[in-house]
Amino acid sequence: MNTLTAKVDHKWISFTLRRSWMATMVASKAHFSTIPPQPVIPSKKPFKVDLVGGKRYSWCTCGHSKKQPFCDGSHKSKAQGLSPLRFLPEKDATVWLCGCKYTSNPPYCDGTHKQDFIQSAPLHTHTNS
Ligand code: FES
């Protein structure tokens, strides 16, 4: 028997296998991945937001939040591996926060939402689960 120990969601877990872990991985075609999930697209447009200087904000990076563009904690159950981007504006400002979640300048819109891969992608809709 072999024991495989792995860290999953910040907890160490152990598996005891009856045959070598490599044979088990190959035979079952099981795989482990450290690649975080891709965000869903809650909006194909940015959100115009009045930010207050010195106030902490958490911008949703997973797209599952019902309080877009801000985090409501949905990533904990629907997008493990993603976490909100916390930021603190220095002064009051009106800004455009990304709604598609694919900006290269988070949390701000950089125009990526105009690209074809966003415009042709399905819009995420919330379920009650
Ligand atoms: S809304 Fe995401 S880049 Fe504009």
Side-chain angles (χ1 to χ4, degrees):
M1 283 194 233
N2 292 303
T3 300
L4 176 63
T5 304
K7 194 172 186 180
V8 177
D9 198 21
H10 304 291
K11 294 177 189 156
W12 285 100
I13 57 173
S14 292
F15 303 95
T16 301
L17 306 171
R18 293 194 178 134
R19 52 187 171 160
S20 87
W21 69 271
M22 185 60 85
T24 301
M25 296 282 279
V26 171
S28 65
K29 296 184 180 177
H31 69 278
F32 295 97
S33 174
T34 56
I35 300 170
Q38 291 292 305
V40 295
I41 300 172
S43 171
K44 295 183 181 181
K45 293 180 180 174
F47 295 91
K48 187 177 183 183
V49 177
D50 294 322
L51 299 177
V52 176
K55 181 179 175 183
R56 273 181 67 121
Y57 294 92
S58 293
W59 177 71
C60 168
T61 62
C62 71
H64 289 281
S65 173
K66 292 179 181 174
K67 294 182 177 177
Q68 290 298 330
F70 300 110
C71 175
D72 70 355
S74 293
H75 62 278
K76 294 173 192 167
S77 60
K78 296 182 176 166
Q80 292 178 356
L82 291 178
S83 51
L85 175 75
R86 300 187 201 294
F87 67 103
L88 186 86
E90 288 181 14
K91 56 185 180 181
D92 293 3
T94 300
V95 298
W96 292 91
L97 296 182
C98 173
C100 73
K101 308 305 173 187
Y102 283 85
T103 179
S104 295
N105 184 31
Y108 306 103
C109 174
D110 70 352
T112 299
H113 65 273
K114 296 175 188 166
Q115 293 186 23
D116 219 34
F117 80 97
I118 296 292
Q119 291 300 313
S120 62
L123 204 56
H124 176 69
T125 53
H126 293 285
T127 59
N128 289 332
S129 59

